[in-house]
Amino acid sequence: MDFGFLQNLATGFGAALSFNNLGFALMGCLLGTLIGVLPGIGPIPTIAMLLPITFGLDPLSSLIMLAGIYYGAQYGGSTTSILVNIPGEASSIVTCIDGHQMAKQGRAGVALGVAALGSFFAGCVGTVFIAAFGPPLASIAQEFNAPENFSLMLLGLVTAVVLAHGSVIKAIGMVLVGLLFGLVGTDVNSGLTRYTFGVSELWDGIDFLPLVIGMFGIVEIVRNLERGTLPRAQIYTGLRELWPSVQDFKDSWRAVLRGTGLGSILGILPGGGAVLAAFASYTVEKKLAADPSRFGKGAIEGVAGPESANNAAAQTSFIPLLTLGLPSNAIMALMMGAMIIHGIQPGSAVMTKRPDLFWGMVASMWIGNLMLLVINFPLIGIWVRLLSVPYRLLYPAILLFCVIGIYATNTNIAQLVMTAVFALFGYILVKFECEPAPLVLGFILGPLMEENLRRALVISRGDPKIFLESWISIVLLALTVLVIVLIVLPQIRKSREQAFQE
Amino acid sequence: MVRVRSPQDLGAGAVFVTIGAAGLYFGQDLAFGSSARMGPGYFPTILSYLIIAIGLVLAVKSLATDGPPIERFSFRPLFAILAAILAFGFLIERIGLALTAAVLTVGSAYARRDVNLKETLLLAAGLALFVVGVFVYGLTQPLPAWWGR
């Protein structure tokens, strides 16, 4: 094994530990937790809303801040799950089960403490994972040409669809619509504009911010409003003791280890990420437990395992993005969108051309995790008080911040009109049970897929056999076919549904 | 008589077919080219056909399998929020951030039925002060604080 990555990590810490960057990491974690803790707002809308404030920074600082926002949002979501039993998003559904029971038994503090400690441990392991596996993967990716890139994106999209919850057919449809939306604007090859309807604002393509804030942030607000009164936080006693007891440590350390392992591996898979990791970890803990009946009644392993798993996966899901340029889930698509706005095309080239950026970000992930631990123990009381602010006072503020964020990035009113259009579109789709996340993945990958397909076919003069001429491409396509076969097999579909119901 | 057994699938199918058809219609002037020399219309056309195919599969599925009904559309929150967003865009350059923020707050409050006007006005004033302080003076965003700057 090559220990050169330690040297690289040192460079990264050098870049990330500057006073400014530490400040941005802290601010990101704080803001992420602040928004993420609000009931009914998951990590995706949180990141979408906070994206604009990172645009004015230099690329490294902005990525550091974004990563901080991401971890903060995720941790904030766990807090809401435990205290109010409202999961911000799918990855914290499992935390609700036992976490909220613990809160009811007066052990909310311990649940939050275990979640924070487990997440921190998982975050550390995840960071080392990225540092160790990033460079070898990136050197494989350097061998990639147009055909391999196309096959890789195909595999990524297909896997993402399978692992998204809800109907597979609808998810495929949403990916395709996203790809089509991604093509709006000037075609780089011919210089012609496509689907711009004479609107000059569309010449550069559909803007990322109005799309994600409209479809996630605004739709979320409308959905919360139509659901009527959100349950107010019931603050149970026992918040004062955050530090788990010796017995709690004994009960949970194995779960943390297993969750971290599972999460680190599952996070790398396209479409995997935090959700799958949390579900898998909960299932494993329940299977391995001496007395499975404790689960659902406040078993500490049921919090420690999934919370570690989703944080480990949150880390390692950066691997495909940073090394292959492939966002493995909607959150990574947001990160990729942000990087593109800064003029960085994620992929293996980042590591070779901007090592400070790559390693600085890896280092900042660890710093972000440490900050979460540091800020959450003293600040938990504030988050709890925030939870008890009624939604009727919160949503106008959230809406206002979204709108200012969109408008201030380029002071163009067309952006707001587009936000409204995408909000309407997203709302209609939600009514038909179509998840917007696959659309964002397609949207980000649309232009890249077209360009790689075009280049591959130019090389082969239109012969599609070029995709079967390199072993990398063959393996990727074989995996794609395998995944499709797995969806079609009804047995597997059934167990997949079960897994999501559990 | 054909019976729709899964309305959500039918709705989603209709959305997809519409998008695919729009993709074909508005992309008809884009040259398709050939596989060796993909024109600007090549990829969009293929995508549009695939989207239509997915839409049709969903439509057939909606007749064949049972599914949950479509949840009721709540027009009040939807339109109040959308109107607030558009109003912000219309007003910001005309009357500045402070008043626009207040208008947006009050307008979006009417997304709910039982509005407490006094509370809402207080919130509007508070938010207006806050965002002017943070965004205009703190973060020096390119936003006018008042009308005529």
Side-chain angles (χ1 to χ4, degrees):
Chain A
M1 179 127 198
D2 176 16
F3 283 93
F5 73 82
L6 291 177
Q7 172 75 44
N8 290 326
L9 265 183
T11 335
F13 274 102
L17 278 174
S18 81
F19 183 74
N20 275 341
N21 286 341
L22 277 178
F24 288 126
L26 177 68
M27 216 153 80
C29 285
L30 272 177
L31 285 173
T33 318
L34 184 77
I35 307 282
V37 89
L38 304 175
I41 303 175
I44 298 179
T46 305
I47 297 170
M49 279 173 214
L50 294 174
L51 261 183
I53 55 170
T54 66
F55 285 170
L57 309 175
D58 70 273
L60 179 62
S61 306
S62 127
L63 287 178
I64 287 176
M65 188 164 172
L66 265 179
I69 290 172
Y70 174 31
Y71 306 137
Q74 197 128 34
Y75 189 77
S78 313
T79 311
T80 342
S81 302
I82 291 170
L83 292 178
V84 215
N85 205 16
I86 304 171
E89 64 136 24
S91 77
S92 22
I93 290 174
V94 274
T95 309
C96 279
I97 308 173
D98 281 286
H100 190 60
Q101 286 302 322
M102 284 181 74
K104 278 190 171 165
Q105 294 160 10
R107 283 160 50 81
V110 176
L112 288 168
V114 155
L117 289 170
S119 295
F120 176 68
F121 175 77
C124 295
V125 175
T127 307
V128 174
F129 231 73
I130 300 182
F133 290 98
L137 253 176
S139 63
I140 297 176
Q142 304 248 291
E143 311 283 309
F144 282 27
N145 289 314
E148 288 86 3
N149 279 331
F150 183 82
S151 305
L152 175 73
M153 288 180 214
L154 199 64
L155 173 65
L157 287 179
V158 168
T159 322
V161 158
V162 178
L163 296 177
H165 48 199
S167 151
V168 171
I169 308 173
K170 286 177 188 168
I172 297 173
M174 293 297 277
V175 165
L176 292 169
V177 171
L179 288 170
L180 189 64
F181 282 4
L183 301 181
V184 171
T186 310
D187 174 31
V188 282
N189 236 38
S190 63
L192 290 174
T193 57
R194 297 187 284 189
Y195 304 114
T196 53
F197 308 102
V199 180
S200 62
E201 276 85 4
L202 285 174
W203 287 352
D204 290 333
I206 294 174
D207 267 301
F208 188 60
L209 269 188
L211 180 111
V212 292
I213 295 188
M215 291 191 76
F216 291 99
I218 308 292
V219 169
E220 199 87 8
I221 294 175
V222 177
R223 295 283 290 159
N224 285 333
L225 283 172
E226 73 181 0
R227 272 186 218 123
T229 47
L230 276 172
R232 286 277 291 277
Q234 280 275 357
I235 309 302
Y236 303 101
T237 51
L239 256 181
R240 254 156 239 98
E241 306 148 30
L242 286 169
W243 205 257
S245 68
V246 177
Q247 186 58 40
D248 292 327
F249 269 114
K250 271 190 187 155
D251 287 340
S252 53
W253 71 270
R254 284 187 201 87
V256 169
L257 282 185
R258 282 189 292 259
T260 303
L262 264 176
S264 301
I265 293 163
L266 290 175
I268 302 178
L269 294 182
V275 187
L276 190 71
F279 276 99
S281 164
Y282 192 78
T283 316
V284 166
E285 291 311 320
K286 206 171 165 182
K287 287 248 163 71
L288 290 178
D291 176 16
S293 68
R294 289 192 304 117
F295 280 78
K297 293 177 194 143
I300 196 165
E301 303 97 299
V303 178
E307 279 297 302
S308 311
N310 75 26
N311 208 44
Q315 302 282 321
T316 56
S317 55
F318 275 100
I319 293 180
L321 177 67
L322 293 175
T323 59
L324 307 173
L326 182 77
S328 54
N329 53 45
I331 292 175
M332 290 303 121
L334 284 173
M335 293 285 170
M336 186 165 172
M339 291 174 89
I340 292 172
I341 290 171
H342 278 291
I344 308 158
Q345 187 67 50
S348 56
V350 174
M351 209 179 297
T352 47
K353 285 188 194 134
R354 298 284 316 267
D356 60 316
L357 202 69
F358 176 84
W359 292 105
M361 198 169 160
V362 173
S364 76
M365 290 176 183
W366 184 80
I367 296 171
N369 276 294
L370 181 67
M371 283 197 177
L372 268 189
L373 195 66
V374 174
I375 60 179
N376 275 309
F377 275 85
L379 290 185
I380 194 74
I382 295 181
W383 305 143
V384 168
R385 214 159 306 146
L386 201 68
L387 265 173
S388 55
V389 175
Y391 195 66
R392 67 170 193 280
L393 300 180
L394 279 179
Y395 78 87
I398 297 170
L399 179 69
L400 186 58
F401 296 151
C402 286
V403 173
I404 292 176
I406 295 168
Y407 183 75
T409 47
N410 64 359
T411 61
N412 191 334
I413 289 155
Q415 303 272 34
L416 294 172
V417 177
M418 280 214 273
T419 309
V421 170
F422 279 113
L424 181 63
F425 180 60
Y427 182 75
I428 293 171
L429 286 172
V430 163
K431 289 291 175 189
F432 299 148
E433 293 276 300
C434 294
E435 294 267 331
L439 184 143
V440 179
L441 272 182
F443 177 75
I444 287 287
L445 289 179
L448 291 174
M449 268 189 113
E450 183 186 35
E451 196 45 37
N452 281 297
L453 179 66
R454 177 183 290 142
R455 279 192 212 152
L457 291 177
V458 164
I459 298 168
S460 73
R461 301 194 184 149
D463 188 352
K465 278 208 290 292
I466 187 163
F467 292 108
L468 300 175
E469 273 165 17
S470 84
W471 65 269
I472 298 177
S473 179
I474 293 175
V475 169
L476 292 169
L477 288 177
L479 286 172
T480 311
V481 172
L482 183 76
V483 170
I484 294 173
V485 170
L486 290 181
I487 332 176
V488 178
L489 289 182
Q491 214 177 353
I492 300 200
R493 198 190 307 170
K494 211 177 281 165
S495 63
R496 170 178 166 275
E497 272 156 24
Q498 257 170 14
F500 277 115
Q501 265 160 23
E502 239 177 80
Chain B
M1 179 67 197
V2 196
R3 201 171 60 90
V4 176
R5 292 165 64 186
S6 176
Q8 285 183 351
D9 287 343
L10 187 69
V15 171
F16 287 138
V17 170
T18 311
I19 293 173
L24 288 180
Y25 178 79
F26 294 108
Q28 59 187 344
D29 294 333
L30 300 169
F32 188 77
S34 64
S35 289
R37 293 181 61 89
M38 280 167 53
Y42 187 93
F43 203 48
T45 308
I46 293 177
L47 286 177
S48 301
Y49 278 118
L50 287 173
I51 294 168
I52 293 175
I54 294 283
L56 293 177
V57 170
L58 280 170
V60 171
K61 187 172 167 251
S62 75
L63 303 176
T65 55
D66 288 310
I70 298 172
E71 211 184 292
R72 218 168 45 83
F73 279 68
S74 323
F75 292 107
R76 184 184 178 118
L78 179 66
F79 289 136
I81 298 291
L82 295 187
I85 296 172
L86 295 176
F88 183 95
F90 181 76
L91 294 173
I92 180 74
E93 290 297 329
R94 290 180 171 78
I95 61 173
L97 181 62
L99 292 174
T100 310
V103 170
L104 178 135
T105 309
V106 175
S108 65
Y110 280 87
R112 296 167 55 252
R113 263 170 219 293
D114 42 344
V115 185
N116 177 342
L117 192 61
K118 200 171 147 202
E119 178 190 87
T120 307
L121 288 176
L122 272 175
L123 178 68
L127 280 177
L129 278 176
F130 180 76
V131 293
V132 169
V134 170
F135 289 96
V136 180
Y137 296 107
L139 299 170
T140 56
Q141 297 284 312
L143 296 162
W146 308 100
W147 61 91
R149 310 248 148 187

